[in-house]
Amino acid sequence: MYLEHFNLESDPFRLSPDSKFFYPSLAHTTAKNYMDYVLWSRDSFIVITGEIGTGKTTLIQKMLEEAGSKLTVAKIHQTQLNEVEFIQALLDQLGVNPFHTQSKVELLSMLNHFLQRKYEEGETVVVVIDEAQNLDERVLEEIRLLSGFDSNREKLLNIFLVGQPELRNILARPSMEQLFQRIRLRFHLDGLGFDEVRSYIRFRLATASAAKFTPVSPGAKLLTYRVNDEEIELPSDLFPDELLNTVIEYTGGIPRLINTLCDTALLTAYSRDHDKVTQEDMESAIEDLQWEPYAKRSSYRAESAPKDTEYQLQVFKHGTLLSVEPLEKDRVLVGRSHLCDLKIDQKSVSGKHCQMLKTPEGYLIEDLNSTNGTLVNGEKIDSKLLEDGDVIEVGRYALRFEKADRENAPRNVTSMAPHKHSLAN
């Protein structure tokens, strides 16, 4: 409707996954590079997690499109299956009729024969399992066994488990230890930061624009573009920078939500015959969508806030107690980014440095590929199930993980649940 008005050839904020609109953020580019390596090294298991709308499907689609012709792909979206139904669904996606038998032995034999044939033909077989957090533990165990198919030299099946954040909690269970150890790569996609949201919007507009822009300087902090052999920065007239804080406040940097809000804002601006989106247009779009700020919209998060807190963090700097932070969320993000629950303004701390995930066994801490690493009790970790008294070192800060003493809890506690606490230098 508004394309001609804004000199666009296609919808810049379409919601359906389209690899043409794949935005190469640092996180998405890093994840894709890792995935490419694991895919062609036949290293079996990859787990990609992220909030709804963070671009997991587009990322997988982009990788598969660039992987070449020597690839056989099975995509499974229905995950509420038992073990036999899952193997049947997999064979059906691979073009093998599995419905004449319910025998698991026969089905596995059919799958093994198919994989051996494809390997001899030089093809790589990939199975992408979406919404994997809904899989039954018995099916996950079956998937682990399927990953054991090999040619005595290489794995015959590459498996991508794609799901929402709770998938990590499931894989962290003690009962999933064997599967957990098989995972070659785990990557979590978060919302975009301020500069990335700015570049993301410009990238989508450039891709959809009637003017043919091509990205240059991919290492630059902000994407720039070339048009008519002349390097320019894509004009931000449609979405002035003063609107970005509002976009982030109401979307949390989640790409799908950015698309929804920006599309509605463009439609509002078009209906008012504006040549760019104004703050009034943005506010009207938010009102039409009936959105609250992202942090308050529990419908977009798989998080809960229990009334009582079982654990807390004592925050120290140079041995001085700064605050006591109750762990009131299922996921607590620590780092320099404004999206973090515990924000640490220190140059040696990464934007998203580490996170703590609530699992049935307790809180699991994970380093998020930080520059200087996360230490627990003086040892650098990738992930660890925290125990009472463990000391987490992030930059110059020490976070003591301990059970909360509700009777003697300090009164001047800064809660992580309704707002974010910032630790200055």
Side-chain angles (χ1 to χ4, degrees):
M1 180 180 291
Y2 55 67
L3 298 185
E4 184 177 352
H5 181 78
F6 293 119
N7 195 31
L8 299 169
E9 284 190 342
S10 60
D11 183 357
F13 300 110
R14 66 184 66 188
L15 294 181
S16 57
D18 186 343
S19 61
K20 182 176 72 172
F21 286 91
F22 174 76
Y23 170 67
S25 74
L26 177 60
H28 287 78
T29 302
T30 302
K32 183 180 178 300
N33 290 339
Y34 285 160
M35 289 159 58
D36 288 341
Y37 170 77
V38 174
L39 175 64
W40 294 116
S41 63
R42 294 180 181 268
D43 227 341
S44 191
F45 261 110
I46 300 175
V47 175
I48 303 293
T49 57
E51 298 285 354
I52 298 171
T54 48
K56 303 183 294 293
T57 302
T58 305
L59 175 64
I60 297 289
Q61 187 173 310
K62 181 71 172 178
M63 180 208 66
L64 294 177
E65 285 184 2
E66 296 182 355
S69 59
K70 286 292 187 178
L71 203 65
T72 299
V73 181
K75 297 180 181 179
I76 298 179
H77 303 284
Q78 175 55 262
T79 51
Q80 295 178 332
L81 308 170
N82 61 34
E83 304 98 301
V84 171
E85 291 171 336
F86 176 83
I87 300 172
Q88 287 179 321
L90 175 56
L91 285 166
D92 183 52
Q93 282 288 307
L94 293 172
V96 180
N97 180 16
F99 300 114
H100 62 277
T101 179
Q102 288 286 319
S103 169
K104 187 175 171 182
V105 173
E106 287 186 46
L107 291 170
L108 290 175
S109 177
M110 293 165 59
L111 179 59
N112 186 50
H113 176 75
F114 177 87
L115 295 176
Q116 291 286 354
R117 178 166 59 85
K118 287 296 180 181
Y119 179 77
E120 291 170 2
E121 293 173 356
E123 292 206 18
T124 298
V125 179
V126 179
V127 55
V128 178
I129 306 169
D130 206 359
E131 300 298 335
Q133 75 278 355
N134 295 326
L135 291 170
D136 186 86
E137 280 199 16
R138 291 172 298 178
V139 178
L140 284 170
E141 174 61 14
E142 194 65 47
I143 292 172
R144 181 187 71 82
L145 295 175
L146 293 181
S147 71
F149 286 153
D150 59 48
S151 65
N152 295 323
R153 291 180 298 171
E154 296 177 309
K155 297 295 182 183
L156 299 179
L157 188 63
N158 284 290
I159 300 171
F160 287 68
L161 293 180
V162 184
Q164 296 175 32
E166 53 264 38
L167 176 60
R168 293 175 302 176
N169 300 353
I170 295 170
L171 297 176
R173 295 172 184 169
S175 58
M176 293 284 99
E177 179 64 25
Q178 292 188 71
L179 175 58
F180 188 85
Q181 291 185 11
R182 290 280 184 97
I183 298 171
R184 179 64 178 85
L185 167 70
R186 290 177 296 143
F187 208 95
H188 183 77
L189 297 174
D190 279 308
L192 305 175
F194 182 92
D195 287 335
E196 288 183 317
V197 168
R198 184 172 183 259
S199 287
Y200 175 83
I201 292 173
R202 294 184 174 196
F203 176 84
R204 307 257 333 180
L205 291 171
T207 304
S209 177
K212 298 305 178 184
F213 295 92
T214 53
V216 296
S217 304
K221 186 176 183 181
L222 298 176
L223 287 176
T224 54
Y225 300 81
R226 184 181 302 279
V227 61
N228 299 329
D229 295 323
E230 188 175 320
E231 186 176 324
I232 64 170
E233 188 172 329
L234 182 68
S236 59
D237 290 348
L238 286 183
F239 287 90
D241 285 353
E242 54 264 29
L243 300 180
L244 292 181
N245 283 330
T246 302
V247 173
I248 293 172
E249 180 183 3
Y250 282 87
T251 68
I254 302 298
R256 185 182 298 170
L257 299 182
I258 296 173
N259 291 352
T260 299
L261 180 56
C262 289
D263 179 70
T264 307
L266 280 176
L267 184 59
T268 302
Y270 167 75
S271 67
R272 297 174 177 180
D273 200 28
H274 292 167
D275 58 1
K276 65 179 179 180
V277 177
T278 66
Q279 184 64 44
E280 292 75 18
D281 295 331
M282 184 65 69
E283 291 173 358
S284 293
I286 292 168
E287 185 177 348
D288 290 342
L289 292 168
Q290 298 182 11
W291 279 5
E292 289 186 312
Y294 179 77
K296 296 181 180 179
R297 296 206 312 274
S298 60
S299 60
Y300 289 101
R301 294 188 175 194
E303 297 176 344
S304 61
K307 295 180 181 179
D308 295 322
T309 57
E310 185 178 357
Y311 292 97
Q312 63 188 21
L313 293 174
Q314 287 192 350
V315 182
F316 294 87
K317 182 179 180 182
H318 301 315
T320 300
L321 179 64
L322 300 180
S323 67
V324 179
E325 307 289 342
L327 295 179
E328 297 180 339
K329 299 172 65 176
D330 288 350
R331 176 174 179 253
V332 176
L333 187 62
V334 180
R336 292 178 65 191
S337 169
H338 67 283
L339 295 173
C340 292
D341 302 290
L342 189 60
K343 187 172 183 294
I344 299 178
D345 290 326
Q346 185 180 318
K347 291 183 179 180
S348 62
V349 175
S350 298
K352 294 167 185 173
H353 196 95
C354 66
Q355 62 187 358
M356 282 162 274
L357 305 170
K358 188 174 184 181
T359 72
E361 291 70 43
Y363 273 93
L364 179 77
I365 185 169
E366 289 184 342
D367 182 74
L368 298 177
N369 297 314
S370 64
T371 302
N372 295 312
T374 302
L375 280 68
V376 177
N377 302 328
E379 295 186 2
K380 188 172 289 189
I381 56 95
D382 292 322
S383 65
K384 180 185 185 299
L385 190 64
L386 290 170
E387 300 178 4
D388 187 23
D390 280 349
V391 176
I392 306 158
E393 296 177 44
V394 180
R396 293 193 291 270
Y397 292 87
L399 315 176
R400 180 182 172 86
F401 176 83
E402 60 179 20
K403 288 189 175 181
D405 183 356
R406 294 183 180 87
E407 294 182 359
N408 300 309
R411 294 185 179 180
N412 59 338
V413 166
T414 302
S415 173
M416 288 178 169
H419 61 278
K420 299 166 186 175
H421 184 60
S422 178
L423 302 176
N425 285 320

